[in-house]
Amino acid sequence: MKPRSSLLTFAAYLLCLILSAGAMAQSNAVLSCGYNGNGEIGDNTTTNRSLITPAYTIDAVKAIALGHSHALALDSSGTVWAWGYNTYGQVGDGSFTNRTVPVPVLNGVKAIACGGYHSMALMGDGTVMAWGYNYFGQLGNGNTTNQPYPVKMQGISRIKAIAGGGYHSLALGENSTLYVCGYNYFGQLGLGDNTNRSLPVGNASGVVAIAGGDLHTLIQLYDNRVFAAGYNGYGQLGDGTTINENRFFPYADNARFIAAGGYNSFVVQQNGTVLGSGWNAYGQLGTGDYANRLSPTLIPGAVNIKAVSAGGYHTLMLTAGGKALATGYNSYGELGDGTFIMRSQLLAVKNATLIGSIAAGSFSSTLLRPFTKSLATGLNQHGQLGVGGTAPPAQVTTLRRMQIGSNILAVSTGPSGHHSLLLRADGTVWACGYNAYGQLGQGTTTDSYAPVQVKGPNGVGFLTNIIAIAAGNFHSLALAADGTIYSWGRNSHGQLGTGDTTDRFYPVHVPGVTNAYAIAAGGYQSLALVWDGAISSCGYNGYGQLGLGDTTDRSSFIYNYSTGFSLAAAGGNFHSLGIRYNGELEVFGLNWNGQLGTGDTTNRYSPYYESGTLAVAIAGGNYHSLHLNAVGEVFASGYNGDGELGLGDTTDRHNWTYLSSLSRTLGIACGYNHSLFFNVYGTPYACGANANGQLGNGSTANQSYPTFVNGAPGVIGMAGGYGHTLILTAPHLMMASVSVSPNKIVGGTGTTGTVTLTGTAGGGGVRVYLSCDSILATVPAYVDVPAGSNKATFPISTYGVGTQTAVHIYAQHYNYVTATLTLTP
């Protein structure tokens, strides 16, 4: 057995999010971070990444899976793609050569799974194919020879789910029977002995979900009880001991989802909280310490969770609203927080919103993000809305679709700017609007009414491998996955960080910055966060907005270590904001209108720390600021002459003031003199100046309270400029209904249910999750609505009863709907 070296990850603020499910939408983006020495990130390099990085494009991906050091993806056509470590043939392309970009392996597949060093595929006919490491018989083909091509598991058919353990394999039949094969030295097959199996063997019945750890197994029964078997040296079986078990013993009740990692176990309960046990030397349980747990323990901060993926030494969790959280070992950046610091509490993966699926490997993480589109409203005299046309309207008052393809990860525009930047999932940057200083990166000064791809340095090729963007008033920044920065546009105050004040019409590689993990742009200043948490800054400093203790401009990025460890930065027109590791705000620069929230109007030339804020997001406008705390509350300070603080009046505030009209807010942004918000339901709101229709509500009247923005369901990002707004959406397919036919059963004869969507499923189909509140009826764990359809049916098994009773069938996809079934003797 090939041993693995030890390691794990990060900490602490999250928002309660709403119920959703793993939509399998078309044009999905595969994003990864962490160790990449074997090419497991799939970006055609072997460079480790501490921020999520796009893999080479695979169209319409609907599922992902990770082994210890290799990855699989399944697209909507049923093709499996694989990449990464391949010493045992686990990529499945017939070779034993590592692959740094995805290669197609197998067609006709409807589900995928990875073991430690082997791969599995559930075929459309209900059979299972497997390939890779087979020393213990985990491929289930009757021998122990490694296989670089897919081979058929013998003796099983009509399989509906598969899972891989470290060196064993699991399959779940349509009759809810568990089949197992492979390594069994610790009893992880649950057969009552310790003998390896090279052919699948039937085991437990009544099983609805399966999960394999390195050396142990979890199963979930129809009544939502969870059982565990196998190695228990760290308490991963959750029975309060470290004694191995070769039969399944009770682990927990009331489960919705189960996950098994290297040496730990997790159960997502019906209420969205999470229990965990087992090895915790690297903080992978997320308990806030590094002590192992021998019994299931409630994980702090894990609320409204719908899925968990446990890697070797780190753990990912996915909230119902699509936000990815991480904790544990982080030496290779697998937590995706931009650092390499180990964490023992959950913290959000940076740039990871509206995620559909998560997968954790030994030292890497992969996320799947669904289809997105970008919308814009407001001032458009330079084409900054990107709606195209030879003579576009000077302004619009309702949202319009930008002329750019899907898979947009981020949008940005300066607080007083007239150009827009967009980052696509393939790592390219696009720009539109005002271009007098070359801020569109085209080598010209000609405005563009539609987004154009930003060119590479000296106009050669195009910018690629970009993971973040930031727009100032007249300059642009891009952060590459290797921690370097590109800049272009106006450089009057040195804001490009190039050591001079010469404008650039193509992107230039900023000298002296090699370890950045986040960027921000103010009006005429640029900010970068580097791996050790320092804030580095350059550009205009007339009001102290660089935080260096003076008012001298800088034309090169200057590191400021006095800030301590910072997690985020934002630039207003003439002021700057940051968030320290403990949620404390740090503010500096112009404060004439109280935009620093310090209770006065005194400028600050060095960072001023505001304790007790517990901030998770910040935004700066012209003369106002916003911050968001860990429970979704928004606070505002500064100029309010146009109602941009959202407090119902036009009176300035010098202290941070709570916006009581908003709740469960997930994102914030500032324009020049307007503010933008979206909540956990993806619903957008805006307030402030509206002379150009930038609030997107169909009028040009200012609003002093947050008002609903029309036409943008499923918002996941926003940006505000001088008089325009950009919105990034990933529209939801809501559940319309679930029905049962017949809805009254006499004597327990069984029935059928139907789920209906409000729209038609895209190219990858849609998965709807199912549950029942009684053991008197059972339903499958999920049903897939096929591509192009809005309906799917599923079987319901019922049991005889002594007295008439009612049970409830639940369907979940971004919302819950219920059907009632009456059972009669």
Side-chain angles (χ1 to χ4, degrees):
M1 178 173 60
K2 180 181 166 83
R4 292 181 295 161
S5 51
S6 302
L7 307 154
L8 244 127
T9 277
F10 209 122
Y13 309 117
L14 56 145
L15 300 171
C16 296
L17 304 173
I18 58 161
L19 294 167
S20 75
M24 300 186 294
Q26 58 187 354
S27 300
N28 290 353
V30 178
L31 309 169
S32 300
C33 59
Y35 184 68
N36 197 27
N38 303 298
E40 42 265 83
I41 287 179
D43 64 347
N44 202 26
T45 76
T46 54
T47 303
N48 299 342
R49 309 293 186 186
S50 63
L51 292 168
I52 56 175
T53 301
Y56 263 48
T57 302
I58 311 170
D59 290 334
V61 174
K62 65 178 184 179
I64 50 176
L66 291 190
H68 288 341
S69 302
H70 75 290
L72 301 179
L74 176 64
D75 70 23
S76 62
S77 72
T79 299
V80 175
W81 299 73
W83 62 98
Y85 189 55
N86 196 29
T87 294
Y88 303 102
Q90 58 265 52
V91 167
D93 64 348
S95 78
F96 297 95
T97 303
N98 295 351
R99 300 297 183 187
T100 59
V101 296
V103 294
V105 175
L106 189 64
N107 298 316
V109 176
K110 65 178 182 180
I112 52 176
C114 285
Y117 301 100
H118 69 288
S119 304
M120 303 170 65
L122 175 58
M123 307 305 292
D125 62 1
T127 59
V128 179
M129 304 294 283
W131 59 99
Y133 192 48
N134 195 32
Y135 186 79
F136 302 102
Q138 56 263 51
L139 302 188
N141 66 338
N143 62 50
T144 56
T145 303
N146 297 343
Q147 299 289 339
Y149 289 112
V151 294
K152 187 176 181 179
M153 280 193 170
Q154 299 298 308
I156 56 174
S157 60
R158 301 185 65 184
I159 300 301
K160 66 178 181 179
I162 53 176
Y167 309 94
H168 64 291
S169 300
L170 311 171
L172 181 60
E174 291 180 356
N175 60 356
S176 297
T177 297
L178 172 67
Y179 297 92
V180 295
C181 63
Y183 190 49
N184 195 34
Y185 181 81
F186 297 98
Q188 57 263 52
L189 301 187
L191 296 169
D193 58 37
N194 300 86
T195 303
N196 299 343
R197 302 297 200 283
S198 62
L199 289 171
V201 177
N203 195 340
S205 60
V207 179
V208 297
I210 51 180
D214 238 27
L215 302 170
H216 72 292
T217 299
L218 298 181
I219 60 173
Q220 179 182 341
L221 301 188
Y222 69 90
D223 58 3
N224 295 326
R225 291 183 298 157
V226 178
F227 290 77
Y231 182 60
N232 195 31
Y234 299 98
Q236 56 264 55
L237 303 190
D239 62 357
T241 75
T242 56
I243 300 172
N244 302 338
E245 300 287 356
N246 59 21
R247 293 189 184 277
F248 287 107
F249 276 75
Y251 181 90
D253 300 325
N254 199 34
R256 183 199 298 177
F257 184 91
I258 58 176
Y263 303 105
N264 43 51
S265 303
F266 294 92
V267 170
V268 179
Q269 301 186 101
Q270 290 290 327
N271 63 1
T273 59
V274 179
L275 300 173
S277 70
W279 193 37
N280 196 34
Y282 301 100
Q284 55 264 57
L285 293 183
T287 53
D289 56 36
Y290 301 95
N292 298 341
R293 296 297 196 279
L294 304 185
S295 300
T297 301
L298 195 66
I299 308 303
V303 292
N304 275 353
I305 302 299
K306 71 172 184 179
V308 176
S309 182
Y313 311 99
H314 72 293
T315 302
L316 301 177
M317 296 190 188
L318 181 61
T319 69
K323 194 159 185 70
L325 312 172
T327 183
Y329 192 67
N330 197 29
S331 286
Y332 300 102
E334 50 265 62
L335 300 189
D337 65 342
T339 78
F340 300 94
I341 300 172
M342 185 168 67
R343 309 294 176 177
S344 64
Q345 291 177 293
L346 292 165
L347 187 70
V349 177
K350 289 185 180 295
N351 302 320
T353 54
L354 211 83
I355 299 300
S357 301
I358 54 175
S362 282
F363 308 114
S364 65
S365 302
T366 297
L367 315 174
L368 183 61
R369 191 173 196 176
F371 168 83
T372 59
K373 66 179 180 180
S374 49
L375 309 171
T377 186
L379 189 63
N380 193 39
Q381 85 275 33
H382 297 288
Q384 55 264 54
L385 301 189
V387 295
T390 56
Q395 69 175 42
V396 297
T397 60
T398 57
L399 289 166
R400 291 196 182 185
R401 178 82 178 265
M402 300 183 77
Q403 285 195 354
I404 186 169
S406 61
N407 272 0
I408 307 301
L409 293 185
V411 290
S412 182
T413 185
S416 186
H418 299 272
H419 76 292
S420 304
L421 296 180
L422 302 100
L423 174 63
R424 295 193 65 178
D426 60 5
T428 60
V429 180
W430 299 69
C432 58
Y434 190 47
N435 195 32
Y437 303 97
Q439 56 264 50
L440 302 190
Q442 301 301 302
T444 72
T445 56
T446 303
D447 295 351
S448 179
Y449 299 143
V452 290
Q453 188 171 355
V454 174
K455 295 186 177 181
N458 299 316
V460 178
F462 299 96
L463 276 189
T464 58
N465 212 24
I466 302 302
I467 59 175
I469 52 174
N473 285 351
F474 307 106
H475 73 289
S476 304
L477 303 174
L479 173 64
D482 62 2
T484 60
I485 296 173
Y486 293 90
S487 61
W488 61 99
R490 192 175 188 183
N491 199 25
S492 54
H493 298 278
Q495 58 263 49
L496 300 188
T498 53
D500 54 38
T501 55
T502 303
D503 296 347
R504 300 299 202 282
F505 303 110
Y506 292 121
V508 294
H509 223 151
V510 175
V513 181
T514 59
N515 56 356
Y517 66 84
I519 54 175
Y524 304 92
Q525 78 268 26
S526 300
L527 306 171
L529 299 183
V530 295
W531 72 270
D532 56 2
I535 294 181
S536 186
S537 56
C538 64
Y540 185 49
N541 196 33
Y543 302 100
Q545 57 263 50
L546 301 188
L548 299 173
D550 56 38
T551 56
T552 303
D553 294 355
R554 303 298 202 281
S555 62
S556 297
F557 276 94
I558 304 298
Y559 286 47
N560 184 356
Y561 290 96
S562 68
T563 59
F565 187 79
S566 299
L567 296 178
N573 220 9
F574 302 106
H575 67 289
S576 303
L577 307 106
I579 302 175
R580 304 185 74 205
Y581 67 96
N582 58 359
E584 185 177 81
L585 286 175
E586 47 192 359
V587 295
F588 39 100
L590 184 69
N591 196 31
W592 289 354
N593 298 95
Q595 56 262 52
L596 301 186
T598 55
D600 54 39
T601 56
T602 303
N603 297 344
R604 299 299 197 281
Y605 305 110
S606 297
Y608 178 91
Y609 303 110
E610 303 185 44
S611 61
T613 47
L614 291 178
V616 296
I618 46 179
N622 187 31
Y623 300 115
H624 75 291
S625 304
L626 303 174
H627 85 259
L628 175 68
N629 71 12
V631 293
E633 297 172 333
V634 179
F635 297 81
S637 189
Y639 182 69
N640 196 32
D642 297 293
E644 51 262 73
L645 300 190
L647 297 169
D649 56 42
T650 54
T651 303
D652 293 357
R653 302 297 198 279
H654 300 159
N655 289 299
W656 293 108
T657 305
Y658 173 52
L659 274 69
S660 59
S661 60
L662 294 174
S663 63
R664 303 187 75 187
T665 300
L666 180 59
I668 54 176
C670 288
Y672 181 83
N673 50 6
H674 70 291
S675 299
L676 305 165
F677 319 89
F678 66 93
N679 62 21
V680 295
Y681 302 97
T683 304
Y685 295 88
C687 61
N690 196 29
N692 297 292
Q694 58 262 52
L695 302 189
N697 61 2
S699 78
T700 54
N702 293 355
Q703 299 289 334
S704 61
Y705 278 115
T707 182
F708 175 66
V709 179
N710 298 317
V715 174
I716 60 172
M718 288 177 152
Y722 176 77
H724 75 291
T725 294
L726 306 179
I727 290 182
L728 184 61
T729 71
H732 299 170
L733 276 175
M734 303 294 287
M735 280 294 299
S737 67
V738 58
S739 60
V740 179
S741 178
N743 59 12
K744 184 175 182 179
I745 299 297
V746 178
T749 57
T751 187
T752 300
T754 301
V755 298
T756 305
L757 304 174
T758 55
T760 301
V766 167
R767 177 160 292 181
V768 176
Y769 289 85
L770 306 169
S771 60
C772 180
D773 64 357
S774 171
I775 63 172
L776 299 175
T778 59
V779 295
Y782 58 83
V783 60
D784 288 333
V785 179
S789 176
N790 71 332
K791 289 185 179 181
T793 60
F794 58 92
I796 303 174
S797 298
T798 59
Y799 303 90
V801 294
T803 58
Q804 181 170 301
T805 187
V807 301
H808 300 92
I809 309 299
Y810 300 95
Q812 176 197 348
H813 180 68
Y814 287 101
N815 62 321
Y816 269 128
V817 290
T818 308
T820 301
L821 173 62
T822 302
L823 302 180
T824 301

